Amino acid sequence: MAGALVAVGLVSTMITSLDGEWLIAADPRNVGREEQWYAKPIAGAKPTKVPWIIQDAFPGYHGVAWYRRDFTAPRNPHTRGRYLLRFWAVDYQAEVWLNGVHVGGHEGAETPFVLDVTDAMRPGRRNRLAVRVLNPTNEPIDGIALNETPHRNKAVPYWAGASYNHGGIMDSVELLAAPPVRIEDLFVRPDPRTGVIRITANARSAMPGPVSAAFDFAVAPAASGETIATARFKRRLPPGDTPVEIELRVDEPHLWDVDDPYLYRVTARMSRERSKSVDEQSACCGFRDFRFEGGYFRLNQRRIFLRGSHTGNHCPVGLQLPHDPDLLRRDLLYVKTMGFNMIRFIAGMPTRYQLDMCDEIGLLVYEESYAGWLLADSPRMAERFDRSTSEMIRRDRNHPSVVMWGLLNETNDGPVFRHAVDALRLVRSLDDTRMVMLNSGRWDGQLSIGSLSNPGSAVWEALMGDEAPEMAPTSAAPPGGYWARVGDAHAYPRVPHTADTVRFLRTVGEGTKHVFLSEYGIGSAVDLWRAVRHYERLGAAYTEDAQFYRDKLDRFLADWERWRMADTFARPQDYFAESLRKMAGQRTLGLNAIRANRNLVGYSLTGTVDQGMTGEGLFTTFRELKPGTVDALFDGLAPLRWCLFAEPVNVYSGTPVRLEAVLANEDALAPGDYPVRLQVFGPDGAPVLERTVTVTIPRSNFAPHESTAEGGRATLSADTPFAVPVFAEDAAIEGPSGRYRFVATFERGAAATGGEAEFYVADPAEMPPVGAEVVLWGEDAELARWLAEHGIRARSFDPASPPAREVILVPRRPAAPGGADAFGELARRIARGSTAVFLCPEVFRDGDDPLHWLPLANKGAPAGIAGWLYLKDEWAKAHPMFDGLPCGGMMDYTFYREIIPDAVWSGQDAPAEAVAGAIKASQDYSSGLLVAVYELGAGRFVLNTLHIRENLGRHPAAERLLRNMLRYAARDAGKPPADLPPDFDAQLKAMGYVGEDAG
């Protein structure tokens, strides 16, 4: 019977799991070897589980730990059989003793190792297994320091955005009762062009002399199991290792694809003559070809737009290890459902069952090892990098889902980068079937070195960006993380995105070859409230990560009380829910710009999960989807999508708005004509503009990249870029104030996602009047002119004028001559009942002290909270200063994007009114106010950091905010002035106002 591998009475390898309860003890003085802890009970040992991390038993501890377990070994059924201990991963260094005998060890955090422990084993009796694990820290232990080992971005002390330092026995431990002749490794390489599977097996013999062994190889579809190709032969094996190679052919192989992940199983069996002992290994594989060719990534010769996201496999409590195994499986199902076709395991390998699942559901894998990020140079750098990389490849090279090996992430030019360049030879010696990516983000800037090596290539190929052998190095440029003209780019621009940022995302790579944007994203806050409650539910509030979140929640709750945020959000839970909900719109915003970029051939989103104790993920560490996320990603990643733009997004009535429509099309349309309607709807739902165009997909091939957009017709060629402009027009919108929608719709034959952009129009006639006279304190002729042109009565401040309750407006520069006299007089006017509006914090600067003249005793500290991937959430109360503007919750990023600043008021005492503020709970925790009202005597003053002054004349929201502030300040205008408080001189001194008038 062809291919039958069934035999009766054969005995194969027995596997006994040693997972479960162990004992663990800390060894902070590193005396365990000297005191022979491997041979006796250890004082202070605690129960733990394996696999798991040291830091669960000993929170915050790093260094040496000892694991111990007693077990009864089964009898080995094989004559001259061998006992093997298989550790699937120990982080970082392992030394192993069995029954007091040192049996070996391993250095490396993520990969398996096998030890032959036959001579130390006591079959049928109790055995004691001891494992010394070194979890490195900053100070060298046995010459090993954390940053000199493959460690991803583990850090001591921890900082948000990195990974907690952790280690231990991180994967299963197994005892194998194996035959003396066995298969130690199986490597299969299917060729989709020929149907040939090249098979390499390593036969290992522990017999004292040569033996004759029979080999059986078979191929079968993994799902159905019927054997379709076999081979059988005999081989004389000497003691030790013997490589065995063979080829099997599959006629008309069924290709593995993201939409049809068809798998084959290759089985290798070896048996000895006149012995019932056999050993069998099997591996799933798939016929597929993935490469970069003709300017695009191609899977099975079909070009595809890479839609990826990266994960650090971050989990609660166990960090790299989930308390519930379903968490890591859920990651893959989520991203597949959202429309991703690739997942990147960034600077850390996936679990074995994750790769099995990627094989089965059709998810491309871009894989890196711990050595790929933040590895420091050292005398052993090359050795450790090579071991980490080569062991990753050996473990995972049979998986068809793995299409890219990554060597580095965000590594600058230097010894580590240069070694990785040379390491391509090592990679190709182990696997010549996959693409290799050099350095994600290309922070090395070496344009003369290509970013990738295609399958079968032994060189770095200059196929993207401005890469070419003759090119000079490039350097970093705004926005964050972006290195100009590279082909493998990262970009983390400021949030909220302005028109310039959107333009940058739309034009990355312009003037170069195509670009892979391998990192970019906009996250959310961490839902501190739910995170803390989840740890409490699990009984894990003692863990380092739980304590980290608890501290941040306590700081948030202090702000919540200080700023009376319950006026706006009913509960803290509501604040975080709104923050997470806001993220969906930001994801769509970024994807809209990226999908409209004709230069991009792939995008990898940051990130899948809230890794590094941050809010960068599509879902939380407890795998709770953030509200609206699935909808946003389905919309943004769809193969056919309208990307619409309206700039500026906030205009006065009659001001031209640039309307643009770009079609993102991943070869989703069949040849034909597709009529499209483009419309603008006003706030009342009535159309105010309507256009029609026709998108044509020709039946005959045009030259590559040929496209036209003339006469209401957009013609796309067979190899058109994935994004093509279809419509552009400057439209002056005359209409009522409110929100306008620019929409695009296929009228037949196609169903695209996207297709909407919003902008806001304001009628100047509807601006609220300012009835009170404004006193301008400070030097700003342009502001004075603007006030006059807009019908707002204003005069310059006169210190000699009689005291009165005035509306005082303070610009960026103080009144001459400035100093204590000027600020002291201003403080007196406020204390007697005036209200001052400080438009810009710069007015308080004195030399190197940015807040010297702030009229508070507790001046706090200058603070800026940068919003990017890890953004801050800006909120505004329903307050008279925001009358007629969106408020009463999170500030709308479309409406306020030019108004929102990075500067905040931080560290001052609680104000009389906290009007608007910003909280960054997406990475660590920081906070401050944007608009606050303080009382001084009978008066008050408004502190502001919003970009109002900078946007007067071009942004209606800036004008409305200023008018509202002046109207608010005028509430007491005209009333008789009050007397100065009795202790006012002491207040002036406490403020630091010193001068001849200070008394």
Side-chain angles (χ1 to χ4, degrees):
M1 180 176 177
L5 296 181
V6 178
V8 179
L10 298 182
V11 182
S12 59
T13 299
M14 294 174 54
I15 301 177
T16 303
S17 173
L18 298 182
D19 291 354
E21 186 170 308
W22 291 50
L23 292 174
I24 187 172
D27 185 4
R29 296 185 298 122
N30 193 20
V31 297
R33 276 183 302 205
E34 180 182 348
E35 296 180 1
Q36 299 183 359
W37 287 13
Y38 50 80
K40 61 185 179 182
I42 308 169
K46 297 181 179 181
T48 190
K49 61 182 178 179
V50 167
W52 205 233
I53 60 172
I54 295 167
Q55 286 70 31
D56 185 61
F58 302 104
Y61 174 75
H62 312 289
V64 177
W66 289 78
Y67 287 79
R68 195 190 78 196
R69 168 165 183 162
D70 293 346
F71 64 93
T72 300
R75 298 283 182 182
N76 195 319
H78 306 282
T79 304
R80 294 181 177 269
R82 310 302 294 176
Y83 285 99
L84 310 173
L85 276 175
R86 179 161 60 197
F87 293 82
W88 281 101
V90 178
D91 186 359
Y92 169 71
Q93 186 190 55
E95 292 182 74
V96 183
W97 286 261
L98 182 63
N99 298 321
V101 177
H102 187 266
V103 293
H106 180 261
E107 182 180 340
E110 307 178 273
T111 46
F113 60 98
V114 177
L115 304 175
D116 191 322
V117 297
T118 307
D119 295 341
M121 185 62 67
R122 299 169 182 169
R125 299 163 54 193
R126 298 289 288 176
N127 291 264
R128 173 160 294 175
L129 177 61
V131 184
R132 177 186 182 271
V133 178
L134 172 58
N135 170 215
T137 187
N138 297 335
E139 295 300 319
I141 301 173
D142 299 344
I144 298 176
L146 178 64
N147 69 337
E148 295 179 356
T149 68
H151 66 288
R152 184 184 269 157
N153 61 345
K154 296 181 190 176
V156 181
Y158 172 73
W159 47 273
S163 297
Y164 279 117
N165 187 24
H166 57 280
I169 301 179
M170 303 295 287
D171 203 338
S172 292
V173 183
E174 297 167 338
L175 173 65
L176 283 63
V181 180
R182 62 187 186 276
I183 299 172
E184 193 70 11
D185 188 26
L186 185 64
F187 180 27
V188 296
R189 287 164 287 179
D191 185 341
R193 294 169 300 175
T194 63
V196 170
I197 302 178
R198 292 180 291 161
I199 305 169
T200 302
N202 181 57
R204 176 167 294 179
S205 173
M207 298 297 287
V211 295
S212 180
F215 292 86
D216 292 278
F217 291 88
V219 179
S224 55
E226 70 276 13
T227 302
I228 57 176
T230 64
R232 173 173 291 182
F233 58 88
K234 293 182 178 180
R235 179 74 54 87
R236 191 81 169 160
L237 301 178
D241 293 334
T242 302
V244 177
E245 296 184 350
I246 191 172
E247 293 183 353
L248 293 178
R249 183 182 300 274
V250 175
D251 294 331
E252 298 182 359
H254 193 140
L255 299 185
W256 185 97
D257 207 306
V258 291
D259 300 319
D260 184 14
Y262 196 89
L263 295 171
Y264 291 88
R265 179 171 293 279
V266 175
T267 303
R269 173 177 288 177
M270 179 175 63
S271 59
R272 284 187 297 137
E273 292 183 346
R274 296 183 298 276
S275 171
K276 291 186 177 181
S277 293
V278 299
D279 194 41
E280 183 175 290
Q281 297 263 345
S282 66
C284 279
C285 64
F287 289 92
R288 57 102 183 93
D289 180 70
F290 181 85
R291 62 184 61 244
F292 192 89
E293 189 173 78
Y296 294 92
F297 292 102
R298 297 179 188 270
L299 178 62
N300 301 329
Q301 301 181 350
R302 183 186 82 254
R303 68 175 188 163
I304 64 169
F305 185 85
L306 279 189
R307 304 188 299 268
S309 182
H310 68 245
T311 178
N313 270 353
H314 186 117
C315 300
V317 186
L319 299 176
Q320 297 303 120
L321 295 176
H323 64 280
D324 175 357
D326 189 52
L327 296 186
L328 299 184
R329 287 190 287 265
R330 213 177 302 170
D331 292 354
L332 308 176
L333 294 175
Y334 282 167
V335 297
K336 182 73 175 181
T337 300
M338 291 179 197
F340 293 96
N341 55 28
M342 183 185 76
I343 188 164
R344 175 184 173 196
F345 292 94
I346 184 170
M349 295 166 57
T351 65
R352 292 169 286 140
Y353 63 82
Q354 283 180 302
L355 283 186
D356 289 342
M357 193 169 183
C358 289
D359 292 343
E360 293 164 5
I361 66 175
L363 193 59
L364 302 174
V365 171
Y366 173 5
E367 183 176 354
E368 302 164 11
S369 78
Y370 266 9
W373 202 12
L374 301 181
L375 178 63
D377 188 25
S378 72
R380 298 185 60 193
M381 178 271 291
E383 168 199 342
R384 287 170 173 157
F385 182 93
D386 289 353
R387 178 169 53 242
S388 185
T389 302
S390 60
E391 291 184 354
M392 170 185 73
I393 294 171
R394 287 183 182 277
R395 194 197 76 166
D396 295 339
R397 60 187 175 180
N398 288 327
H399 289 275
S401 58
V402 178
V403 294
M404 299 163 71
W405 301 121
L407 299 188
L408 294 174
N409 178 65
E410 294 183 341
T411 299
N412 292 103
D413 190 18
V416 177
F417 169 73
R418 294 292 168 171
H419 180 75
V421 171
D422 294 338
L424 183 59
R425 291 191 298 270
L426 170 67
V427 175
R428 289 301 180 221
S429 72
L430 298 168
D431 177 24
D432 62 354
T433 69
R434 287 176 175 82
M435 182 182 294
V436 186
M437 302 298 289
L438 175 56
N439 185 14
S440 184
R442 290 310 304 268
W443 284 19
D444 56 276
Q446 301 302 308
L447 293 177
S448 62
I449 303 172
S451 286
L452 62 83
S453 176
N454 270 311
S457 171
V459 298
W460 296 110
E461 300 173 67
L463 300 176
M464 300 192 297
D466 258 352
E467 298 164 0
E470 68 279 4
M471 290 299 294
T474 186
S475 59
Y482 175 67
W483 285 63
R485 310 194 320 277
V486 298
D488 181 349
H490 292 180
Y492 290 110
R494 180 185 178 272
V495 172
H497 290 352
T498 61
D500 287 342
T501 304
V502 173
R503 189 177 305 111
F504 166 79
L505 291 172
R506 290 183 61 184
T507 58
V508 169
E510 196 168 74
T512 76
K513 298 186 287 290
H514 285 150
V515 170
F516 176 33
L517 184 60
S518 55
E519 285 191 31
Y520 157 80
I522 306 176
S524 73
V526 174
D527 189 337
L528 299 171
W529 186 273
R530 288 187 66 80
V532 168
R533 299 297 171 255
H534 278 312
Y535 282 96
E536 293 171 348
R537 173 180 59 85
L538 294 173
Y542 61 90
T543 60
E544 285 184 82
D545 41 350
Q547 292 296 311
F548 174 89
Y549 289 130
R550 176 77 257 182
D551 171 72
K552 307 305 172 282
L553 178 60
D554 288 345
R555 292 166 65 181
F556 170 82
L557 293 176
D559 285 338
W560 176 272
E561 295 297 329
R562 182 184 304 114
W563 297 334
R564 296 185 291 280
M565 291 177 64
D567 295 347
T568 302
F569 306 94
R571 307 173 301 164
Q573 300 96 303
D574 298 332
Y575 169 89
F576 289 113
E578 193 165 334
S579 169
L580 269 61
R581 190 177 299 112
K582 183 182 79 172
M583 187 198 74
Q586 298 311 296
R587 297 290 192 188
T588 304
L589 169 71
L591 283 167
N592 191 58
I594 287 168
R595 296 296 305 282
N597 188 332
R598 61 189 288 126
N599 312 305
L600 296 182
V601 291
Y603 164 52
S604 188
L605 174 146
T606 307
T608 56
V609 65
D610 281 350
Q611 50 218 359
M613 311 298 167
T614 71
E616 71 176 50
L618 299 168
F619 36 88
T620 72
T621 56
F622 289 93
R623 275 50 183 187
E624 295 177 319
L625 287 168
K626 297 179 183 179
T629 296
V630 174
D631 293 336
L633 270 295
F634 173 81
D635 177 311
L637 295 175
L640 188 66
R641 186 182 195 278
W642 283 113
C643 304
L644 302 189
F645 302 89
E647 294 290 352
V649 296
N650 215 316
V651 298
Y652 291 101
S653 179
T655 302
V657 177
R658 181 72 171 175
L659 303 174
E660 295 181 78
V662 178
L663 181 64
N665 174 28
E666 298 176 31
D667 301 330
L669 290 179
D673 291 337
Y674 298 88
V676 177
R677 177 174 294 181
L678 299 141
Q679 298 167 289
V680 174
F681 294 99
D684 58 359
V688 297
L689 181 146
E690 189 162 340
R691 303 286 187 269
T692 58
V693 298
T694 300
V695 173
T696 298
I697 307 296
R699 301 184 188 282
S700 60
N701 290 350
F702 284 68
H705 312 305
E706 178 184 341
S707 64
T708 62
E710 298 177 357
R713 178 179 294 274
T715 302
L716 314 184
S717 79
D719 203 16
T720 296
F722 286 133
V724 175
V726 169
F727 172 82
E729 181 177 317
D730 293 322
I733 305 298
E734 300 278 359
S737 297
R739 176 178 177 266
Y740 286 70
R741 299 168 59 229
F742 172 41
V743 301
T745 308
F746 277 110
E747 302 220 274
R748 67 169 182 270
T753 63
E756 180 166 340
E758 65 180 3
F759 62 98
Y760 293 85
V761 173
D763 184 347
E766 297 177 6
M767 288 289 175
V770 178
E773 182 182 52
V774 174
V775 175
L776 191 60
W777 186 95
E779 300 180 10
D780 195 332
E782 187 179 344
L783 178 59
R785 185 165 50 252
W786 185 91
L787 293 170
E789 291 172 352
H790 288 76
I792 300 173
R793 293 182 297 119
R795 63 176 174 84
S796 297
F797 179 79
D798 181 2
S801 64
R805 293 182 185 252
E806 300 168 317
V807 177
I808 303 173
L809 181 60
V810 182
R812 182 176 287 111
R813 293 186 298 277
D821 292 344
F823 278 97
E825 180 58 32
L826 176 59
R828 286 187 177 84
R829 294 298 176 107
I830 297 171
R832 299 194 68 172
S834 294
T835 299
V837 176
F838 292 97
L839 275 183
C840 309
E842 294 89 339
V843 73
F844 301 119
R845 175 173 290 279
D846 183 45
D848 294 333
D849 185 351
L851 298 181
H852 182 81
W853 299 116
L854 184 65
L856 293 172
N858 176 16
K859 299 181 186 298
I865 308 177
W868 49 299
L869 163 66
Y870 306 128
L871 78 170
K872 61 188 187 301
D873 288 302
E874 297 84 4
W875 49 269
K877 293 184 178 181
H879 188 275
M881 293 191 212
F882 281 86
D883 183 51
L885 298 168
C887 60
M890 298 293 179
M891 294 180 71
D892 183 276
Y893 268 5
T894 302
F895 188 86
Y896 289 110
R897 68 182 192 183
E898 288 84 9
I899 304 295
I900 291 172
D902 291 337
V904 296
W905 301 105
S906 178
Q908 297 82 19
D909 295 333
E913 298 178 67
V915 180
I919 294 174
K920 184 177 182 180
S922 56
Q923 181 190 34
D924 209 320
Y925 186 87
S926 51
S927 62
L929 293 175
L930 306 175
V931 181
V933 179
Y934 282 87
E935 294 177 345
L936 179 59
R940 57 191 183 273
F941 58 90
V942 177
L943 295 180
N944 169 70
T945 65
L946 295 173
H947 291 314
I948 295 173
R949 176 65 189 85
E950 301 91 326
N951 284 288
L952 287 176
R954 61 174 179 261
H955 199 301
E959 177 179 350
R960 183 67 186 247
L961 281 165
L962 180 57
R963 287 176 176 271
N964 286 344
M965 287 180 173
L966 295 176
R967 287 164 60 87
Y968 170 81
R971 292 187 305 173
D972 294 331
K975 294 181 180 178
D979 294 331
L980 290 174
D983 63 345
F984 191 66
D985 287 352
Q987 290 186 46
L988 286 178
K989 290 180 180 179
M991 294 174 194
Y993 291 179
V994 178
E996 61 182 10
D997 292 337

